[in-house]
PDB file of all heavy atoms in Angstrom:
ATOM      1  N   LEU A  89      -5.512   5.517 -16.583  1.00  0.00           N
ATOM      2  CA  LEU A  89      -5.792   6.787 -15.915  1.00  0.00           C
ATOM      3  C   LEU A  89      -6.109   7.836 -16.967  1.00  0.00           C
ATOM      4  O   LEU A  89      -5.306   8.085 -17.870  1.00  0.00           O
ATOM      5  CB  LEU A  89      -4.593   7.241 -15.072  1.00  0.00           C
ATOM      6  CG  LEU A  89      -4.044   6.247 -14.029  1.00  0.00           C
ATOM      7  CD1 LEU A  89      -2.972   6.920 -13.184  1.00  0.00           C
ATOM      8  CD2 LEU A  89      -5.145   5.692 -13.154  1.00  0.00           C
ATOM      9  N   GLY A  90      -7.288   8.468 -16.857  1.00  0.00           N
ATOM     10  CA  GLY A  90      -7.707   9.468 -17.826  1.00  0.00           C
ATOM     11  C   GLY A  90      -6.980  10.788 -17.666  1.00  0.00           C
ATOM     12  O   GLY A  90      -6.074  10.941 -16.831  1.00  0.00           O
ATOM     13  N   ASP A  91      -7.386  11.766 -18.450  1.00  0.00           N
ATOM     14  CA  ASP A  91      -6.774  13.088 -18.396  1.00  0.00           C
ATOM     15  C   ASP A  91      -7.031  13.749 -17.037  1.00  0.00           C
ATOM     16  O   ASP A  91      -8.114  13.632 -16.462  1.00  0.00           O
ATOM     17  CB  ASP A  91      -7.339  13.984 -19.501  1.00  0.00           C
ATOM     18  CG  ASP A  91      -7.032  13.464 -20.892  1.00  0.00           C
ATOM     19  OD1 ASP A  91      -6.093  12.656 -21.039  1.00  0.00           O
ATOM     20  OD2 ASP A  91      -7.743  13.857 -21.841  1.00  0.00           O
ATOM     21  N   ARG A  92      -6.022  14.461 -16.541  1.00  0.00           N
ATOM     22  CA  ARG A  92      -6.112  15.282 -15.329  1.00  0.00           C
ATOM     23  C   ARG A  92      -6.421  14.465 -14.072  1.00  0.00           C
ATOM     24  O   ARG A  92      -6.921  15.000 -13.092  1.00  0.00           O
ATOM     25  CB  ARG A  92      -7.148  16.401 -15.491  1.00  0.00           C
ATOM     26  CG  ARG A  92      -6.887  17.312 -16.676  1.00  0.00           C
ATOM     27  CD  ARG A  92      -7.965  18.383 -16.807  1.00  0.00           C
ATOM     28  NE  ARG A  92      -9.318  17.808 -16.788  1.00  0.00           N
ATOM     29  CZ  ARG A  92      -9.871  17.175 -17.831  1.00  0.00           C
ATOM     30  NH1 ARG A  92      -9.195  17.042 -18.954  1.00  0.00           N
ATOM     31  NH2 ARG A  92     -11.089  16.680 -17.731  1.00  0.00           N
ATOM     32  N   VAL A  93      -6.137  13.179 -14.094  1.00  0.00           N
ATOM     33  CA  VAL A  93      -6.254  12.368 -12.872  1.00  0.00           C
ATOM     34  C   VAL A  93      -5.093  12.711 -11.950  1.00  0.00           C
ATOM     35  O   VAL A  93      -3.953  12.887 -12.392  1.00  0.00           O
ATOM     36  CB  VAL A  93      -6.247  10.863 -13.219  1.00  0.00           C
ATOM     37  CG1 VAL A  93      -6.060  10.013 -11.972  1.00  0.00           C
ATOM     38  CG2 VAL A  93      -7.537  10.480 -13.927  1.00  0.00           C
ATOM     39  N   ALA A  94      -5.383  12.815 -10.649  1.00  0.00           N
ATOM     40  CA  ALA A  94      -4.344  13.078  -9.656  1.00  0.00           C
ATOM     41  C   ALA A  94      -4.385  11.980  -8.598  1.00  0.00           C
ATOM     42  O   ALA A  94      -5.435  11.728  -7.996  1.00  0.00           O
ATOM     43  CB  ALA A  94      -4.554  14.439  -9.011  1.00  0.00           C
ATOM     44  N   ILE A  95      -3.253  11.322  -8.386  1.00  0.00           N
ATOM     45  CA  ILE A  95      -3.134  10.273  -7.382  1.00  0.00           C
ATOM     46  C   ILE A  95      -2.171  10.777  -6.312  1.00  0.00           C
ATOM     47  O   ILE A  95      -0.988  10.972  -6.577  1.00  0.00           O
ATOM     48  CB  ILE A  95      -2.612   8.949  -7.974  1.00  0.00           C
ATOM     49  CG1 ILE A  95      -3.386   8.578  -9.256  1.00  0.00           C
ATOM     50  CG2 ILE A  95      -2.699   7.845  -6.943  1.00  0.00           C
ATOM     51  CD1 ILE A  95      -4.846   8.286  -9.061  1.00  0.00           C
ATOM     52  N   ASP A  96      -2.689  11.004  -5.113  1.00  0.00           N
ATOM     53  CA  ASP A  96      -1.873  11.619  -4.068  1.00  0.00           C
ATOM     54  C   ASP A  96      -0.940  10.597  -3.424  1.00  0.00           C
ATOM     55  O   ASP A  96      -1.064   9.383  -3.631  1.00  0.00           O
ATOM     56  CB  ASP A  96      -2.781  12.273  -3.018  1.00  0.00           C
ATOM     57  CG  ASP A  96      -2.137  13.501  -2.401  1.00  0.00           C
ATOM     58  OD1 ASP A  96      -0.897  13.592  -2.395  1.00  0.00           O
ATOM     59  OD2 ASP A  96      -2.878  14.387  -1.921  1.00  0.00           O
ATOM     60  N   ARG A  97      -0.034  11.085  -2.607  1.00  0.00           N
ATOM     61  CA  ARG A  97       1.095  10.315  -2.086  1.00  0.00           C
ATOM     62  C   ARG A  97       0.641   9.024  -1.392  1.00  0.00           C
ATOM     63  O   ARG A  97      -0.349   8.979  -0.678  1.00  0.00           O
ATOM     64  CB  ARG A  97       1.893  11.170  -1.104  1.00  0.00           C
ATOM     65  CG  ARG A  97       1.114  11.600   0.120  1.00  0.00           C
ATOM     66  CD  ARG A  97       1.846  12.665   0.908  1.00  0.00           C
ATOM     67  NE  ARG A  97       1.127  12.999   2.132  1.00  0.00           N
ATOM     68  CZ  ARG A  97       0.085  13.824   2.166  1.00  0.00           C
ATOM     69  NH1 ARG A  97      -0.347  14.391   1.057  1.00  0.00           N
ATOM     70  NH2 ARG A  97      -0.523  14.082   3.311  1.00  0.00           N
ATOM     71  N   GLY A  98       1.432   7.980  -1.613  1.00  0.00           N
ATOM     72  CA  GLY A  98       1.237   6.732  -0.907  1.00  0.00           C
ATOM     73  C   GLY A  98       0.068   5.889  -1.368  1.00  0.00           C
ATOM     74  O   GLY A  98      -0.175   4.814  -0.800  1.00  0.00           O
ATOM     75  N   ALA A  99      -0.679   6.325  -2.370  1.00  0.00           N
ATOM     76  CA  ALA A  99      -1.818   5.535  -2.843  1.00  0.00           C
ATOM     77  C   ALA A  99      -1.319   4.286  -3.575  1.00  0.00           C
ATOM     78  O   ALA A  99      -0.274   4.301  -4.221  1.00  0.00           O
ATOM     79  CB  ALA A  99      -2.709   6.362  -3.750  1.00  0.00           C
ATOM     80  N   ASP A 100      -2.092   3.198  -3.466  1.00  0.00           N
ATOM     81  CA  ASP A 100      -1.715   1.909  -4.044  1.00  0.00           C
ATOM     82  C   ASP A 100      -2.821   1.448  -4.978  1.00  0.00           C
ATOM     83  O   ASP A 100      -3.958   1.237  -4.547  1.00  0.00           O
ATOM     84  CB  ASP A 100      -1.503   0.892  -2.924  1.00  0.00           C
ATOM     85  CG  ASP A 100      -0.923  -0.432  -3.432  1.00  0.00           C
ATOM     86  OD1 ASP A 100      -1.185  -0.785  -4.602  1.00  0.00           O
ATOM     87  OD2 ASP A 100      -0.237  -1.115  -2.659  1.00  0.00           O
ATOM     88  N   ILE A 101      -2.496   1.304  -6.261  1.00  0.00           N
ATOM     89  CA  ILE A 101      -3.451   0.812  -7.253  1.00  0.00           C
ATOM     90  C   ILE A 101      -2.897  -0.489  -7.809  1.00  0.00           C
ATOM     91  O   ILE A 101      -1.885  -0.496  -8.508  1.00  0.00           O
ATOM     92  CB  ILE A 101      -3.669   1.848  -8.370  1.00  0.00           C
ATOM     93  CG1 ILE A 101      -4.186   3.161  -7.765  1.00  0.00           C
ATOM     94  CG2 ILE A 101      -4.649   1.328  -9.414  1.00  0.00           C
ATOM     95  CD1 ILE A 101      -4.338   4.289  -8.767  1.00  0.00           C
ATOM     96  N   THR A 102      -3.558  -1.592  -7.490  1.00  0.00           N
ATOM     97  CA  THR A 102      -3.029  -2.922  -7.788  1.00  0.00           C
ATOM     98  C   THR A 102      -4.099  -3.811  -8.396  1.00  0.00           C
ATOM     99  O   THR A 102      -5.196  -3.931  -7.838  1.00  0.00           O
ATOM    100  CB  THR A 102      -2.488  -3.595  -6.511  1.00  0.00           C
ATOM    101  OG1 THR A 102      -1.415  -2.818  -5.991  1.00  0.00           O
ATOM    102  CG2 THR A 102      -1.988  -4.995  -6.797  1.00  0.00           C
ATOM    103  N   CYS A 103      -3.784  -4.444  -9.504  1.00  0.00           N
ATOM    104  CA  CYS A 103      -4.757  -5.340 -10.137  1.00  0.00           C
ATOM    105  C   CYS A 103      -4.998  -6.605  -9.310  1.00  0.00           C
ATOM    106  O   CYS A 103      -6.108  -7.122  -9.295  1.00  0.00           O
ATOM    107  CB  CYS A 103      -4.287  -5.705 -11.542  1.00  0.00           C
ATOM    108  SG  CYS A 103      -4.442  -4.319 -12.703  1.00  0.00           S
TER     109      CYS A 103
END
Side-chain angles (χ1 to χ4, degrees):
L89 306 187
D91 297 340
R92 303 179 309 284
V93 168
I95 312 295
D96 212 335
R97 62 192 184 279
D100 188 331
I101 301 176
T102 298
C103 288

